[in-house]
Amino acid sequence: MTIVWKVDPDAANLTDDPGIREAGLRIKRGETVAFPTETVYGLGANALSNEAVQKIFEAKGRPGDNPLIVHISDRVQLKDLVLSVPREAEVLMDAFWPGPLTIVFPASGRVADKVTAGLPTVAVRMPDHPVARALIEAAGVPIAAPSANRSGRPSPTTAAHVLEDLTGRIAGILDGGATGVGVESTVVDATVRPLTILRPGGVTREQLVACVGEVESDAALTTPDAKPKAPGMKYRHYAPKAPVYLVTGDCERVRRFVRQAKAEGKAVGVLTTAEHRDAYPDADFVAVAGRRTDLATVAHGLYDALRAFDSRALDVIFSETFERAGIGEAIMNRLNKAAAHRVL
Ligand code: AMP
Ligand code: MG
């Protein structure tokens, strides 16, 4: 049984909300609870307990070598989790917390071993979602939380997505409506110089550079064969059941691949944007992720669009591509993973 607690994120005094109180108690008791953040829904457990954290890995089918992000609601909680706070990390926290930025610190050894997957570092984030913040306060412990999907599936941006994947496998879910950003947090390693982006996400490279000057990218982000420093980045992810191909160039080029696949008798899906909604009359199913003129809307709608393909029997999916600037870098990172780097 998975309990669903409805919560209005705009309500006053969320810490008194009965659903949040019970969810917090359950986390403290070692159970798993899914909750909204400003990026995607997370699946939370007490970050100080190996037994609790193990339930996250089991519910998701997540490989044990993929560490979890620890969520806090107050900077005071950080001290206990890390060995030291580099000055550059202070600057980033001042600028982007609470918000979609995860920072990798030298670990103190206080969080459960399973959270860090045995690494000497720990990834920490302070989310900017009233329900997430209130839940962490109610639990009274830092909350380890990956995205609340079965491993390999697109991350959930609504409570319905979470229930699709995890009903019966987790204690409960706080339903606070759709998430905002739509893609996960940016992960920055603050244990190396220059600071290095391990995963692009809600805070853009341009924003980071404007804040701290020089910022590197993990080699694995540009060279698919390099070993990523964020263990999770090596796994296939965000993928619908049918194979996805990214098609560079304009709509007409995408249309040519659609026509060719149709001529081969295939059922074809297309991932597009509102501007091109009607541009693919030959496709069997078209999923729209936001507006091309505003990439934040594409990030917001991306996972819902990717999930929509699985409700149809499709043989192949063609996706339009986006410029890798601003939030476009995170969008293209996720699309490349969904497509297992197949680009036409
Ligand atoms: P998820 O929570 O599912 O969005 O994934 C969290 C991402 O952060 C994964 O790619 C992890 O491998 C990465 N991560 C978590 N902790 C660390 C760490 N200590 N060092 C490097 N990457 C990490
Ligand atoms: Mg995930």
Side-chain angles (χ1 to χ4, degrees):
M1 244 279 284
T2 297
I3 311 167
V4 180
W5 300 283
K6 285 257 181 205
V7 199
D8 172 6
D10 299 322
N13 303 324
L14 274 178
T15 36
D16 297 334
D17 179 276
I20 289 184
R21 280 189 170 193
E22 182 174 350
L25 269 176
R26 283 174 181 264
I27 295 248
K28 202 185 300 183
R29 284 210 305 252
E31 297 179 35
T32 52
V33 171
F35 60 98
T37 78
E38 76 279 26
T39 58
V40 301
Y41 270 76
L43 178 60
N46 180 351
L48 306 180
S49 158
N50 263 322
E51 217 183 322
V53 165
Q54 176 60 20
K55 293 182 185 166
I56 293 179
F57 286 92
E58 278 164 17
K60 282 183 56 103
R62 184 176 174 107
D65 70 346
N66 190 3
L68 307 178
I69 294 168
V70 179
H71 295 70
I72 60 175
S73 57
D74 192 312
R75 287 263 285 261
V76 172
Q77 292 174 291
L78 184 66
K79 287 200 183 71
D80 205 27
L81 308 177
V82 304
L83 267 187
S84 60
V85 177
R87 197 186 52 81
E88 290 86 343
E90 293 270 7
V91 176
L92 289 180
M93 289 187 287
D94 288 343
F96 300 110
W97 279 12
L101 179 71
T102 296
I103 304 177
V104 174
F105 294 94
S108 66
R110 177 88 173 88
V111 297
D113 300 338
K114 288 201 161 116
V115 170
T116 55
L119 292 175
T121 52
V122 60
V124 186
R125 168 165 118 80
M126 186 189 292
D128 184 22
H129 190 293
V131 174
R133 306 281 298 269
L135 176 66
I136 300 167
E137 277 174 40
V141 290
I143 295 183
S147 48
N149 50 285
R150 291 296 289 265
S151 262
R153 296 260 294 148
S155 300
T157 54
T158 65
H161 294 163
V162 177
L163 291 170
E164 222 169 77
D165 280 18
L166 298 176
T167 295
R169 306 179 70 89
I170 61 177
I173 171 168
L174 285 163
D175 178 356
T179 60
V181 179
V183 293
E184 297 84 346
S185 61
T186 304
V187 179
V188 170
D189 187 351
T191 68
V192 294
R193 294 295 168 276
L195 299 181
T196 301
I197 297 176
L198 305 185
R199 173 177 76 180
V203 171
T204 66
R205 172 185 308 276
E206 293 83 347
Q207 285 176 294
L208 292 170
V209 169
C211 180
V212 290
E214 197 186 0
V215 179
E216 283 237 350
S217 275
D218 189 33
L221 292 178
T222 44
T223 322
D225 294 338
K227 181 170 180 257
K229 270 191 75 183
M233 295 296 281
K234 69 174 176 280
Y235 294 107
R236 181 162 181 262
H237 216 149
Y238 317 114
K241 290 180 190 123
V244 178
Y245 290 83
L246 307 186
V247 183
T248 60
D250 59 6
C251 284
E252 183 43 42
R253 192 153 182 271
V254 180
R255 256 196 306 267
R256 280 213 300 276
F257 285 103
V258 173
R259 277 198 296 266
Q260 192 183 327
K262 285 307 296 174
E264 290 164 10
K266 291 181 174 150
V268 179
V270 175
L271 180 67
T272 183
T273 52
E275 291 88 344
H276 303 154
R277 184 188 293 278
D278 302 318
Y280 304 102
D282 295 336
D284 296 274
F285 178 66
V286 173
V288 173
R291 295 182 307 281
R292 184 166 282 280
T293 47
D294 180 1
L295 286 187
T297 64
V298 176
H300 177 80
L302 183 65
Y303 291 142
D304 188 61
L306 284 172
R307 275 178 181 260
F309 290 116
D310 284 345
S311 59
R312 309 292 193 290
L314 298 172
D315 298 308
V316 63
I317 296 163
F318 297 109
S319 173
E320 295 179 5
T321 54
F322 301 89
E323 214 192 313
R324 278 172 213 261
I327 194 73
E329 191 181 347
I331 293 169
M332 284 308 294
N333 172 268
R334 306 308 190 270
L335 279 176
N336 262 296
K337 284 187 168 293
H341 299 280
R342 287 179 291 251
V343 182
L344 299 171

